[in-house]
Amino acid sequence: MKKKNILFVHSSSSLAGGERVSELLFKGLKQHKRFGLYLLHAPENTEFNSLAAYYGVTPCAFEFNDLVIKNCLKTLLSTIKLVSLFKKNNIDIIHTVDPVAYRATAIAGSICNVKIIFHHHFPYSEDALRWFFKHLKKPECHVFCCESISQPSRAGLADFYSNVPIEIIHNSIDLNQFTFTPKTLDGTHHIGIVGNFQERKGHEDFIQIAKALIAKGYHCVFDVFGKEESGSGREKVLRDTISNAGLTDHFVFHGFVDNPADALESLHILVCTSKKEAFPMNILEAMAKGVSIISTDVDGIPESVVDNITGLLNAVGDVDKAVSNIVRLIDEREFRDQLLANARRSIEDNFTLDVFVNKFITQYDKLLTGNE
């Protein structure tokens, strides 16, 4: 049987949530011999290059540029290069995960009659969508990682389609990587936050939560996993805020951790203080591992964390509620144990690698059938 070739396109210069989701697809799809996997990535994203090669994905570095008049010659040359790449490798489907990736490949995709999936990890306004798609080949399918972030985009997409081709495929995890091993809340409580140091992640609220818990007399270590975007200076801002609050001895910065299971190994509680968030995989991973969830109720998070059933939720910026939720988990052990068991069961039923990959294969097959 002739392989069907899928090209994943990422314009990001570093590993982030979108890259981790594609890694999951690499892992699952390589078991299906009828697919050939390719990756188009920014040259500076060498980590993603190596990751793709590990899974047997053929990587290709590419200089992404915006489609504007002043770059028309560069756009033409880039398009010629992409057309050659698509034809040489018999690409059947382009799987893009961000607008720059889509706009860079849409013209060549149209010339080569390649179907495009736009995999959305963030909500986009109507104005943004009009900019993305104006005068370009429209994706044949839009996949959103949760229902919540699809809502702002539906009206804008309707400007381009009579029947908007939208699918909801929640992010998932490889359950085999996460043994359910809840840690007993005795002695020192390890409370962590996982994510790059962007302002939308709400690290300042996490510091305020820490300050309140220490003031209440709880013996805690606050573990920070992640890194800053190059040149942002966010780590220094956070360290200074912690120092000024007299909390330096209570915080540990671990940097970026390649293996998510390692980051969760020592934690009792994972706190998400995000102001905006699509459908974070670190929450799913914590639920699978046996780490309690305290999170804001923003965007797609309530589609994975059901308040008082699989975790505890609070409004964005509601530090007091987050603190009371943590105190409840520490003081009510049976309640915490029930939440942990419910969370693991939810992952097993809804958010596994097989479920995730099979849903994408269904979408690929729909597009491929239309191509033949």
Side-chain angles (χ1 to χ4, degrees), residues 234-255:
R234 281 285 291 164
E235 181 169 342
K236 184 178 186 306
V237 169
L238 296 178
R239 286 183 180 273
D240 287 347
T241 303
I242 291 166
S243 176
N244 292 338
L247 298 173
T248 299
D249 291 342
H250 298 280
F251 273 79
V252 179
F253 281 73
H254 298 270

Side-chain angles (χ1 to χ4, degrees), residues 11-85:
S11 69
S12 173
S13 60
S14 62
L15 288 177
E19 287 69 36
R20 292 191 62 202
V21 173
S22 288
E23 179 189 1
L24 198 68
L25 282 169
F26 297 162
K27 181 182 297 186
L29 289 170
K30 77 172 186 177
Q31 308 302 324
H32 297 263
K33 304 301 183 183
R34 63 192 182 95
F35 295 108
L37 305 179
Y38 296 80
L39 170 66
L40 198 69
H41 65 92
E44 59 270 29
N45 199 344
T46 55
E47 290 177 288
F48 202 28
N49 182 336
S50 301
L51 194 64
Y54 174 80
Y55 290 106
V57 179
T58 302
C60 178
F62 180 76
E63 288 282 359
F64 290 88
N65 64 281
D66 198 3
L67 300 181
V68 293
I69 298 298
K70 66 181 180 180
N71 283 335
C72 59
L73 179 59
K74 188 173 183 180
T75 297
L76 176 61
L77 294 175
S78 295
T79 300
I80 292 172
K81 179 180 178 180
L82 289 174
V83 167
S84 175
L85 176 71

Side-chain angles (χ1 to χ4, degrees), residues 132-294:
F132 296 165
F133 303 129
K134 189 176 181 180
H135 304 313
L136 293 175
K137 168 185 169 68
K138 309 304 182 290
E140 280 74 17
C141 180
H142 294 268
V143 173
F144 288 85
C145 66
C146 60
E147 180 65 40
S148 175
I149 71 164
S150 76
Q151 296 302 323
S153 300
R154 288 178 183 268
L157 290 173
D159 291 344
F160 300 102
Y161 303 89
S162 55
N163 293 302
V164 182
I166 287 179
E167 298 290 337
I168 308 298
I169 302 180
H170 289 111
N171 293 342
S172 299
I173 63 171
D174 181 359
L175 199 57
N176 293 326
Q177 286 191 337
F178 300 93
T179 304
F180 185 64
T181 52
K183 295 175 67 66
T184 303
L185 272 168
D186 290 326
T188 301
H189 311 315
H190 280 264
I191 301 173
I193 185 170
V194 178
N196 290 339
F197 302 159
Q198 301 167 339
E199 288 191 23
R200 69 178 178 88
K201 295 289 188 179
H203 285 81
E204 282 81 359
D205 286 346
F206 182 69
I207 295 169
Q208 290 304 309
I209 290 168
K211 183 177 181 180
L213 288 170
I214 296 301
K216 288 178 179 291
Y218 288 95
H219 190 198
C220 303
V221 172
F222 299 94
D223 296 287
V224 181
F225 297 92
K227 62 182 180 181
E228 68 178 18
E229 294 178 339
S230 180
S232 71
R234 281 285 291 164
E235 181 169 342
K236 184 178 186 306
V237 169
L238 296 178
R239 286 183 180 273
D240 287 347
T241 303
I242 291 166
S243 176
N244 292 338
L247 298 173
T248 299
D249 291 342
H250 298 280
F251 273 79
V252 179
F253 281 73
H254 298 270
F256 178 80
V257 177
D258 289 325
N259 186 353
D262 291 343
L264 297 170
E265 189 64 42
S266 64
L267 295 185
H268 297 93
I269 298 171
L270 176 72
V271 176
C272 174
T273 48
S274 293
K275 303 170 186 177
K276 294 182 180 180
E277 198 67 72
F279 198 80
M281 291 178 69
N282 61 67
I283 283 181
L284 301 181
E285 292 159 351
M287 291 168 67
K289 184 70 175 172
V291 177
S292 299
I293 303 296
I294 301 292

